[in-house]
Amino acid sequence: MNSDLHTLGAAGLARAMAAGRVSSVEITQALLARIRAHEELGVFLALQPERALAEAAQADAARARGQAGPLTGVPVAHKDIFVTDFARTGLPSTAGSKMLAGYASPFDATVVARLGPGEAGRGPGAGMVTLGKLNCDEFAMGSSNENSAFGPVRNPWDRQRVPGGSSGGSAAAVAARLVPAATGTDTGGSIRQPASLCGVTGIKPTYGVCSRYGMVAFASSLDQAGPLARSAEDCALLLSAMSGFDERDATSAQRPAQDYARLMQQAREGASAARPLAGLRIGLPREFFPAALAGDVDGAVRAALAELEGLGATLLDVSLPRTELSIPVYYIIAPAEASSNLSRFDGVKFGHRAARYADLEDMYKKTRAEGFGPEVQRRIMIGTYVLSHGYYDAYYLQAQKLRRMIADDFQACFKSCDLIAGPVAPTVAWKMGEQGDDPVKAYLADIFTLPASLAGLPGMSLPAGLGAHDMPVGLQLIGNYFDEGTLLHAAHALQQATDFHTRAPAGF
Ligand code: GLN
């Protein structure tokens, strides 16, 4: 049994523990051995095996006392954009940046606390075992994980190819079965796109569903946390545990935590066992299927859509006319917010400080020039520019107006459909280094994930089979605000009927 523990997802591991077949300590040991055997993937930035085993022993003891929840003792790893209490975990919090190398956070992010030990004075957490911190693009800026200051992550389906980004470590760790589930964050696609490129399932909930407290800020009006796992069922379990109102995040949605596993199972009116999605209307925006879309991606996405149709869903044509504009809009708003958020890294309050400098101004300049990588510096410059006097109206204000119109376009679609579907990324994972230093090329590839981010809508990526070079293709489903239940229900129905999500890369 212990030799194939890695093949079980989060729910499967929980069931095996509940049945007394295996302990959390045994699971943790097995996964730590796999993580050590696959260091070549560059997935982990920090591990604390001893502390993980101690947490697992605590989880086993809780289970023995009859105090186990649905995720107690299941291992998880966190994107290194979430801060972890250094005194508790021994894990630094770097955001993939030299600026924060070795940074010891004095507290846990809300998401980390809720999945793990719970929040002091606010009740217990889910009791998951924290294995370590996962590599990501620096400050979550990127789509290939090549912007990490600590080296790239390799895609387990082909080690010469990128895993996507910015949650590349999270997606690769789940795809390589080093962890059953991981946390990620999505500002403009960073959960959905790496999930797609690595063939795993990921959900970015409605903006405000997960607390941003303790998430290193990139673009605060867009940043959202979410899980990456091997199935919609596992995502539902994690999302239930990590979400819910948090008074420490001013934009946290004032709604109680939902039981997404129950919503996922809830039968739809008029549905039957053979047609669980009867009555579900799925809109296909014509802008999501442009003539230039890669044929393999188009084919895999349409095959998955045909499966959804076979399960009773109705497909209809809709339009999101401002899809293309989401690229300039996002690449004005996100850098603008980043330039403000990243001003805190000045060599005084956090992290890196230049060793030698003449005066205070020189210290700021040298610290920031040394601490930030090229993509982060580029975004700070763009952001500062678009916010500057004289350009604010021309760029930032216009972008804000368009953002509202993009959100309105979605609401027009949701008058006739329940979900919206399309590809996640225009191609399968590309070769490392292929984008060279052409950032615009990378920006353009975000076209299908940016619209839902700008609108604040929930979106999922689901494995939809393999495309060119036998690399995974993802199907994107987008729901209306706070309708994660319908998203997860459709995704679960698809995964009950198909095996796209159970395929693993060769050798894993
Ligand atoms: N690829 C996008 C960017 O580089 C999205 C990143 C994200 O969602 N964090 O900004």
Side-chain angles (χ1 to χ4, degrees), residues 79 81 137-144 147 165-167 185-194 204 218-219 222-224 330-331 334-335 375 379 442-443 445-446 449-450 453:
K79 181 179 185 180
I81 205 90
D137 282 306
E138 184 174 5
F139 290 107
M141 298 176 189
S143 315
S144 69
N147 295 341
S166 64
S167 311
T185 59
D186 191 311
T187 302
S190 278
I191 290 173
R192 289 162 287 158
Q193 186 260 19
K204 173 200 101 78
F218 163 12
L222 294 154
D223 296 343
Q224 250 308 282
Y330 173 87
Y331 281 99
E375 182 62 25
R379 298 209 188 186
Y443 300 170
D446 288 339
T449 52
L450 298 179
S453 295

Side-chain angles (χ1 to χ4, degrees), residues 154-335:
R154 293 172 184 278
N155 191 317
W157 291 84
D158 177 350
R159 291 178 181 77
Q160 303 308 315
R161 291 177 189 272
V162 301
S166 64
S167 311
S170 308
V174 173
R177 303 170 177 233
L178 308 182
V179 292
T183 54
T185 59
D186 191 311
T187 302
S190 278
I191 290 173
R192 289 162 287 158
Q193 186 260 19
S196 172
L197 269 46
C198 287
V200 303
T201 303
I203 181 166
K204 173 200 101 78
T206 307
Y207 180 80
V209 161
C210 289
S211 169
R212 288 183 297 107
Y213 182 72
M215 240 165 77
V216 179
F218 163 12
S220 307
S221 76
L222 294 154
D223 296 343
Q224 250 308 282
L228 293 95
R230 290 207 292 272
S231 66
E233 182 186 17
D234 287 359
C235 282
L237 288 176
L238 266 90
L239 189 59
S240 301
M242 65 200 272
S243 57
F245 176 67
D246 179 8
E247 65 195 19
R248 285 175 288 203
D249 171 1
T251 59
S252 173
Q254 303 238 9
R255 300 162 63 97
Q258 303 281 316
D259 183 349
Y260 294 108
R262 189 183 57 79
L263 292 172
M264 178 191 83
Q265 302 279 5
Q266 212 166 47
R268 298 178 57 79
E269 227 181 88
S272 63
R275 294 171 62 78
L277 300 183
L280 185 76
R281 301 159 306 165
I282 303 179
L284 310 183
R286 74 178 75 98
E287 296 79 6
F288 278 29
F289 296 89
L293 183 64
D296 58 328
V297 172
D298 186 67
V301 167
R302 288 193 194 273
L305 289 171
E307 296 282 354
L308 287 167
E309 214 176 4
L311 295 169
T314 313
L315 306 180
L316 59 147
D317 292 325
V318 295
S319 175
L320 290 170
R322 274 164 277 246
T323 295
E324 261 184 44
L325 286 172
S326 65
I327 298 170
V329 168
Y330 173 87
Y331 281 99
I332 288 169
I333 292 175

Side-chain angles (χ1 to χ4, degrees), residues 60-129:
D60 286 333
R63 187 174 295 282
R65 289 194 304 271
Q67 292 170 345
L71 290 168
T72 302
V74 175
V76 68
H78 297 295
K79 181 179 185 180
D80 205 8
I81 205 90
F82 294 96
V83 300
T84 39
D85 183 344
F86 187 78
R88 180 180 75 80
T89 63
L91 298 166
S93 302
T94 72
S97 181
K98 192 179 158 193
M99 187 60 94
L100 284 172
Y103 176 66
S105 168
F107 68 98
D108 282 318
T110 296
V111 161
V112 169
R114 288 187 180 174
L115 289 176
E119 301 158 279
R122 285 162 212 255
M128 296 186 87
V129 172

